Amino acid sequence: MKTLLLSMLATAGLAASLFAADEIVVGEFASLTGGNASFGQSSHKGTQLAVDEINATGGLLGKKIKLITEDDQSTAGQPATIVQKFISQDKVIAVLGEVASSKSLEAAPICQQNKIPMISPASTNPKVTEVGDYIFRVCFIDPFQGTVMAKFAQSKGWKRVAVLTDVKQDYSVGLAKFFVEGFKKNGGEIVKEQSYSTGDKDFKAQLTSMKSLKPEAIFLPGYYGEVSLIAKQAKLLGLKCPLLGGDGWVGDSLLKVAGNSLDGSFFSCHFSAQDKSPVVQSFVEKFKAKNGAVPDDMAALGYDSAMILAEAIKKAGTTDGDKLREAIAATKDHPGITGSITLDEQRNARKPAVILKIADGGFQFEQAVAP
Amino acid sequence: MRSQLVLLLTLIACGVISTFATGMNPYYYDILVGIGINIILATGLNLVNGYTGQFSLGHAGFMAVGAYGSSWLTLSYGYILGSSSIAITTGYVIALLLGGIGAALAGLIVGIPSLRLRGDYLAIVTLGFNEIIKGIIQNCEALGAQRGLGGMVLHTNFFWTFAFAALTVYVVVSLVNSTYGRGFLAVKDDEIAAEAMGINTTKYKVLAFVLAAFFAGIAGGLYAHFKQFIHPEGFNFIKSVDIVVMVILGGMGSTVGVCLAAVLLTILPEFLRKVSHYEWLPDWFRHVAENRMILYSLLLIILMLTRPQGLFGVRLARKK
Amino acid sequence: MLEFLQQLINGLAQGSIYALIALGYTMVFGVLRFINFAHGDVYMLGAFAGFYIGPKMLRLFGDQPGYGVLISMLLVTMILCALIGIGIEWLCYRPLRNRPKLTVLITAIGVSLFLENGGQFLFGADPKSFPEILTDRYISLPETWGRISELGIQLSAAISMLVTVILLFGLRHIVLHTKMGMAMRALSFNPVAASLMGINNSVVIAFTFGLGSALAGAAGILTSIQQPSIDPLMGISAGLKAFVAAVLGGIGNLPGAALGGILIGVIETMVVGYISPTYRDAIVFGVLILILLLKPTGLLGASEQEKV
């Protein structure tokens, strides 16, 4: 009986190790439900597309990638548990995630302690990669984007700008801070700083108090859900100045909700679905075919995070944590959807930002700003 | 005397297990510590919701006070007693206790309205306090505001978690079995009659709130020094409901039941996580398993419809 | 000063929505003495009903947004939500009729969580854009009136305030001048005596739930024409605010709920406009706690003696 049991165990173990041998396991954690679900869903779709593509073309190092996706339900406490599971149960070689910086910050120390590389698609808080040398990101960070928009506003000749921040989003607060710093440094004047919280639906109070100061533009570094409503209400209130924003603006419902009230506004982002470059166009086509919608920035970043990992595995020729880390750190001029990506010494992506103008119910390419 | 002995033995056992637990699979370790923290939260809340018959929906708020309080202490004064490991650990335990005391003070503030309110009103007021505590943290730069607070050193281990869990269970059980316990139950069964019999209902209600808050504060401190990152949204209404569900599932007023429920409800989400990856299951089933909150809420409704006293509780007296 | 007046108008518009939702809380509390935690989620379902019905209704009217579409959508949604409300009552609360209040409260929390998460599962978690059933514009005073002409209001907000007032009067009529209304009042006064007088309590309770849910559904549509972005979690904060409003006005009291709703709307807007939105929720709940401590029966509520 005992020998039977032992031999069964041995076979099972052998089977498990054989099974594991032809797969590279990658863990992905995202907010698939809960408050941040729209971003998590998007980035997950992008990541999944990249993995499917890699597997369809024969995988990596002769093995298929197995993507294990876990939902953290937008809930604090979950990312840490999930990453522990990834590392000890699923034996992942790398971790992808999250969009929200607060979730990434929870997972990063564990990845660092276990020497498992982690690539965040869209956590823009500078602190994330400061956790350690195993933590990377493929998006640019808040200071860069805030400064880019401050310069842009000045290049348009605007002197008096108001700022409306989403205080619940660290991303928004960060962007606003660096925008204000950059704008003031070159002699601009911030006429009013106002704020709102994620999930708000009525912004007439803030907009009313701004209207009386007649700003030349309003910097609005929030997410599209609220931005579209703000734009609509601003227009209705008779605020005619253009709005300026960041990559959080990109979302399926932005123009659907805002209608033409965003016409003449500008925002910085990672990529433009209108970009004629073949890399972007083929990505947009594939994404549309699979998900029936135009990809947004989160999807593009999710895709890039998986692709950069794949390229690093190929280059390293192994999935060993140390070598893989070095290979990711050495990423240079990766032809990503969100531009040519180089990871700097701080493990942040250096890549151009794109400034788009909204006109006639669509996005128009305005200019690219190199880092 | 016997119960003290049990407590002592449990503490020793915790110490022994803890030395072995370090080599454990980190994922299971994470769940295990989670269980301990949830036992503290749920048994504490049981004192208010179960034994005293009040209804608090803001337990996560007290947890937040403890988590932020102790984290702020260890971050700012972690090395004040010296940098030897004993000094740091002592500092950590003191921070935990101070966090607990801070939470107890908050509990005192919340306990006072409970003197005038009951049932649904009280539930909403505690929920409101939870939101207010969250709001204060979100506006406090020193506590990281909406960014969350990180950088705490990993201090919480099996020993501290389960030592405090054992202590909580001990305090609750011996309190309930003392004359105080009769007082709590009297408040629950019929407040007006209890008052008429000369029982100081005010004292019992406030005591229940303060103690529950203290333990929630300790649990918060343990949590913060385990996950090493805390965020105001982690202590929201949903988290409070989580704890309430543990108390209800276990059976209000049954410490054993509530402890078992805490174990069950900590493991269940992770179990469902596993189930949602079984490819041989039908897609819809995996989807539902992925959306744990749907199952959670259904469980709550069905439990109330079929067995409102919880799995291990005694049926509440029917009132007109 | 002008800005203050404008904020006041904004607050009133927001408050009228809270008032509609708060009425449902208050009515249910009146007859059943319990908080229907899931009420805010019925409001969310109302918005989603509008989201799915809207395009079809628009086609019926030749793709012309306008008042006809709005009124028929309001009617259809209100009926749908009434049915949902009655269904929830029948499935989840009726079996618990004589159980301790706590049991019912917990069930209500369960129903609320179920609707929120089921909604995310069914509709998707991302915000949806509500169809344009009314061409919105901004109405301001004539420019010849001088500085005061800067004051104005969104057309949709004005309409929703108007609809709220109409519904309020309709409700008042039902409660004061119909047999059903009389039965509702009798039930809230003393359920046992009411049933002894030949009132079918179950029918009255179902009717009350239906009525309250219909109002919540209407609120869902009226919010969505002002702020055309809806998501499955939108009921949480609106529901909580409306509840606070109901308590502020004196729970169980219809004019109180309307007053409370408007006050909460105005307080919120003023806090956002002049202090900071991060303090908004804290201040709203602070008001609630103060009211409960100082005057637990609310502004207009009659004091009630605890029966032994």
Side-chain angles (χ1 to χ4, degrees):
Chain A
M1 188 61 207
K2 210 170 175 184
T3 39
L4 181 69
L5 212 69
L6 274 177
S7 60
M8 265 170 72
L9 272 176
T11 337
L14 194 67
S17 62
L18 274 177
F19 188 61
D22 58 0
E23 274 180 342
I24 296 176
V25 188
V26 174
E28 183 208 11
F29 68 109
S31 305
L32 300 179
T33 53
N36 298 332
S38 50
F39 311 116
Q41 296 263 8
S42 252
S43 79
H44 167 63
K45 280 176 192 154
T47 309
Q48 186 69 54
L49 184 68
V51 170
D52 290 350
E53 228 177 280
I54 296 162
N55 284 341
T57 53
L60 294 168
L61 314 177
K63 299 172 189 174
K64 290 255 189 298
I65 294 187
K66 184 181 179 195
L67 183 71
I68 299 180
T69 307
E70 293 290 2
D71 174 18
D72 62 33
Q73 299 175 301
S74 316
T75 307
Q78 292 258 1
T81 310
I82 289 172
V83 172
Q84 293 283 19
K85 170 186 173 276
F86 279 157
I87 295 170
S88 59
Q89 296 296 105
D90 305 322
K91 313 277 181 222
V92 300
I93 54 108
V95 171
L96 299 173
E98 227 250 36
V99 174
S101 295
S102 65
K103 305 289 180 304
S104 297
L105 277 167
E106 206 180 288
I110 298 167
C111 290
Q112 179 67 28
Q113 281 152 22
N114 289 289
K115 296 189 187 293
I116 298 287
M118 164 176 154
I119 307 180
S120 160
S123 291
T124 49
N125 187 324
K127 280 211 177 107
V128 173
T129 48
E130 286 167 16
V131 169
D133 58 353
Y134 278 80
I135 316 300
F136 302 87
R137 77 177 111 216
V138 296
C139 52
F140 35 63
I141 52 175
D142 298 340
F144 173 63
Q145 222 183 147
T147 318
V148 162
M149 284 319 282
K151 272 189 203 146
F152 177 76
Q154 260 142 357
S155 75
K156 285 273 172 188
W158 295 321
K159 294 262 179 298
R160 296 162 45 79
V161 174
V163 178
L164 183 54
T165 321
D166 182 346
V167 280
K168 270 217 183 139
Q169 300 292 346
D170 196 23
Y171 154 80
S172 183
V173 175
L175 245 63
K177 178 170 165 257
F178 290 103
F179 177 87
V180 169
E181 267 172 27
F183 195 69
K184 277 186 181 161
K185 203 167 67 191
N186 294 319
E189 185 196 351
I190 304 292
V191 292
K192 184 101 184 168
E193 281 187 72
Q194 283 273 19
S195 55
Y196 63 93
S197 314
T198 310
D200 285 2
K201 303 248 179 242
D202 191 88
F203 307 91
K204 291 198 279 289
Q206 293 95 324
L207 294 169
T208 299
S209 65
M210 273 184 186
K211 191 187 169 191
S212 51
L213 296 164
K214 300 194 171 54
E216 287 168 293
I218 299 174
F219 184 55
L220 186 55
Y223 285 114
Y224 63 93
E226 287 83 23
V227 166
S228 53
L229 288 175
I230 294 172
K232 207 168 168 76
Q233 289 169 22
K235 174 116 181 195
L236 282 168
L237 278 174
L239 265 162
K240 290 186 188 71
C241 63
L243 305 179
L244 307 172
D247 55 342
W249 277 27
V250 190
D252 196 35
S253 68
L254 180 79
L255 292 182
K256 272 194 215 154
V257 172
N260 59 1
S261 43
L262 271 168
D263 280 4
S265 294
F266 301 90
F267 66 99
S268 61
C269 67
H270 303 269
F271 96 120
S272 153
Q274 272 78 34
D275 193 332
K276 290 287 171 287
S277 86
V279 195
V280 174
Q281 279 316 311
S282 89
F283 167 69
V284 172
E285 281 312 310
K286 278 179 287 190
F287 192 90
K288 261 194 197 156
K290 185 151 187 263
N291 300 299
V294 179
D296 58 16
D297 279 37
M298 297 302 153
L301 289 168
Y303 184 91
D304 278 353
S305 67
M307 279 303 185
I308 284 186
L309 177 67
E311 204 187 70
I313 293 174
K314 235 186 272 171
K315 247 192 308 181
T318 164
T319 53
D320 169 65
D322 244 350
K323 298 222 172 67
L324 186 56
R325 190 207 78 80
E326 275 166 33
I328 299 172
T331 300
K332 201 168 182 302
D333 301 327
H334 169 86
I337 308 300
T338 60
S340 164
I341 300 170
T342 301
L343 292 179
D344 62 16
E345 323 65 277
Q346 279 82 43
R347 299 166 300 286
N348 297 324
R350 286 170 61 86
K351 59 180 179 185
V354 177
I355 292 180
L356 298 184
K357 179 182 185 174
I358 300 176
D360 308 326
F363 300 146
Q364 286 171 5
F365 180 81
E366 176 81 10
Q367 55 174 274
V369 185
Chain B
M1 195 57 221
R2 223 185 98 232
S3 53
Q4 273 104 322
L5 199 68
V6 173
L7 176 69
L8 194 70
L9 286 176
T10 317
L11 290 183
I12 293 170
C14 286
V16 174
I17 297 172
S18 189
T19 49
F20 291 108
T22 41
M24 202 182 156
N25 178 319
Y27 176 48
Y28 295 147
Y29 192 70
D30 186 287
I31 298 173
L32 205 57
V33 171
I35 287 175
I37 291 172
N38 281 335
I39 287 178
I40 301 176
L41 288 168
T43 24
L45 185 65
N46 194 20
L47 204 56
V48 176
N49 287 16
Y51 290 111
T52 320
Q54 309 295 302
F55 199 77
S56 167
L57 254 183
H59 217 49
F62 303 129
M63 191 185 170
V65 173
Y68 274 94
S70 61
S71 302
W72 182 74
L73 285 170
T74 53
L75 285 173
S76 337
Y77 305 107
Y79 297 95
I80 202 162
L81 296 172
S83 50
S84 71
S85 72
I86 294 176
I88 292 174
T89 310
T90 317
Y92 156 68
V93 176
I94 292 173
L96 278 186
L97 293 174
L98 287 177
I101 291 169
L105 285 177
L108 186 65
I109 299 169
V110 182
I112 290 167
S114 77
L115 308 179
R116 297 192 56 164
L117 306 166
R118 57 198 70 199
D120 300 10
Y121 282 98
L122 183 62
I124 293 295
V125 166
T126 49
L127 194 162
F129 263 106
N130 191 346
E131 289 294 319
I132 291 175
I133 290 170
K134 227 178 77 190
I136 292 170
I137 296 168
Q138 275 169 346
N139 282 294
C140 184
E141 273 302 316
L143 296 179
Q146 72 290 331
R147 291 187 304 279
L149 189 62
M152 284 79 81
V153 182
L154 178 72
H155 280 307
T156 303
N157 56 19
F158 182 90
F159 174 73
W160 290 117
T161 314
F162 280 86
F164 276 111
L167 202 67
T168 313
V169 172
Y170 168 76
V171 169
V172 170
V173 168
S174 29
L175 203 60
V176 169
N177 288 331
S178 68
T179 41
Y180 275 98
R182 302 296 122 196
F184 289 136
L185 291 175
V187 172
K188 169 183 168 178
D189 282 341
D190 196 326
E191 220 178 304
I192 297 166
E195 197 133 12
M197 296 302 288
I199 290 170
N200 186 351
T201 52
T202 306
K203 184 175 92 180
Y204 288 104
K205 284 200 265 182
V206 172
L207 182 69
F209 260 104
V210 168
L211 272 177
F214 174 76
F215 289 125
I218 299 276
L222 290 166
Y223 173 88
H225 291 88
F226 186 66
K227 298 277 180 178
Q228 295 162 270
F229 182 82
I230 46 178
H231 195 266
E233 287 302 324
F235 305 100
N236 57 8
F237 168 59
I238 302 282
K239 178 75 195 170
S240 291
V241 171
D242 270 359
I243 311 167
V244 170
V245 174
M246 285 171 200
V247 173
I248 293 165
L249 182 71
M252 294 201 265
S254 156
T255 303
V256 180
V258 167
C259 286
L260 285 175
V263 176
L264 190 70
L265 286 180
T266 320
I267 297 175
L268 184 69
E270 296 307 318
F271 173 72
L272 288 174
R273 199 192 287 292
K274 204 167 171 56
V275 167
S276 68
H277 287 293
Y278 287 142
E279 274 158 30
W280 46 270
L281 284 169
D283 263 356
W284 66 268
F285 190 86
R286 289 171 60 198
H287 258 303
V288 173
E290 245 170 42
N291 290 271
R292 295 181 281 286
M293 284 306 284
I294 296 184
L295 288 179
Y296 229 67
S297 49
L298 270 179
L299 176 78
L300 204 59
I301 299 170
I302 293 169
L303 194 71
M304 282 299 109
L305 290 173
T306 56
R307 205 181 153 78
Q309 70 271 38
L311 293 182
F312 307 94
V314 221
R315 191 172 259 280
L316 290 170
R318 283 191 182 216
K319 282 189 203 170
K320 251 205 297 190
Chain C
M1 185 60 201
L2 220 53
E3 189 190 321
F4 180 79
L5 282 176
Q6 183 64 55
Q7 299 287 27
L8 196 65
I9 296 173
N10 300 341
L12 287 175
Q14 186 60 40
S16 68
I17 301 283
Y18 289 152
L20 276 182
I21 310 174
L23 283 170
Y25 274 115
T26 273
M27 277 194 291
V28 168
F29 192 88
V31 297
L32 278 182
R33 294 271 173 274
F34 99 96
I35 300 168
N36 179 14
F37 238 93
H39 192 60
D41 301 298
V42 175
Y43 153 84
M44 174 273 288
L45 288 178
F48 270 93
F51 172 75
Y52 287 110
I53 299 168
K56 296 192 179 67
M57 199 63 91
L58 268 174
R59 216 166 303 139
L60 221 63
F61 282 81
D63 280 328
Q64 281 301 314
Y67 296 109
V69 194
L70 176 66
I71 291 167
S72 35
M73 285 244 317
L74 271 174
L75 288 177
V76 174
T77 308
M78 282 171 77
I79 292 169
L80 261 177
C81 283
L83 291 177
I84 293 170
I86 293 171
I88 292 174
E89 197 270 335
W90 192 70
L91 276 175
C92 305
Y93 303 146
R94 177 151 309 180
L96 299 173
R97 191 62 56 75
N98 291 316
R99 298 272 185 79
K101 264 182 229 158
L102 223 50
T103 311
V104 191
L105 178 67
I106 295 159
T107 314
I109 294 174
V111 173
S112 163
L113 289 176
F114 179 72
L115 292 180
E116 282 152 20
N117 292 288
Q120 289 205 344
F121 184 61
L122 216 63
F123 310 135
D126 50 325
K128 300 269 182 304
S129 93
F130 196 78
E132 194 179 14
I133 53 172
L134 187 82
T135 318
D136 210 356
R137 62 193 165 81
Y138 196 70
I139 320 166
S140 37
L141 295 170
E143 278 187 27
T144 47
W145 289 19
R147 276 203 65 209
I148 219 168
S149 68
E150 281 175 33
L151 287 182
I153 186 168
Q154 226 172 307
L155 175 67
S156 54
I159 288 173
S160 78
M161 280 159 86
L162 186 71
V163 173
T164 304
V165 172
I166 293 170
L167 288 176
L168 266 177
F169 275 98
L171 188 66
R172 193 184 134 86
H173 177 77
I174 290 176
V175 172
L176 291 183
H177 301 293
T178 63
K179 272 224 159 119
M180 197 48 112
M182 204 196 283
M184 279 166 69
R185 280 181 291 148
L187 197 59
S188 74
F189 202 67
N190 188 334
V192 181
S195 68
L196 286 177
M197 297 307 287
I199 291 170
N200 187 341
N201 284 8
S202 295
V203 171
V204 179
I205 290 170
F207 179 79
T208 312
F209 260 89
L211 202 57
S213 305
L215 293 179
I221 299 283
L222 293 176
T223 319
S224 308
I225 56 169
Q226 293 177 57
Q227 297 135 15
S229 169
I230 60 174
D231 63 88
L233 300 182
M234 66 189 279
I236 303 177
S237 90
L240 277 176
K241 301 286 167 53
F243 174 77
V244 175
V247 175
L248 179 64
I251 196 149
N253 181 307
L254 295 181
L259 175 71
I262 286 169
L263 277 178
I264 292 292
V266 171
I267 292 172
E268 235 190 58
T269 312
M270 293 299 168
V271 171
V272 172
Y274 292 102
I275 306 174
S276 158
T278 38
Y279 287 106
R280 187 189 50 192
D281 292 4
I283 286 179
V284 169
F285 280 107
V287 167
L288 170 78
I289 290 166
L290 272 183
I291 274 286
L292 284 177
L293 288 180
L294 301 176
K295 196 172 182 312
T297 51
L299 295 177
L300 301 184
S303 70
E304 192 176 322
Q305 208 62 42
E306 176 92 0
K307 293 182 197 106
V308 184

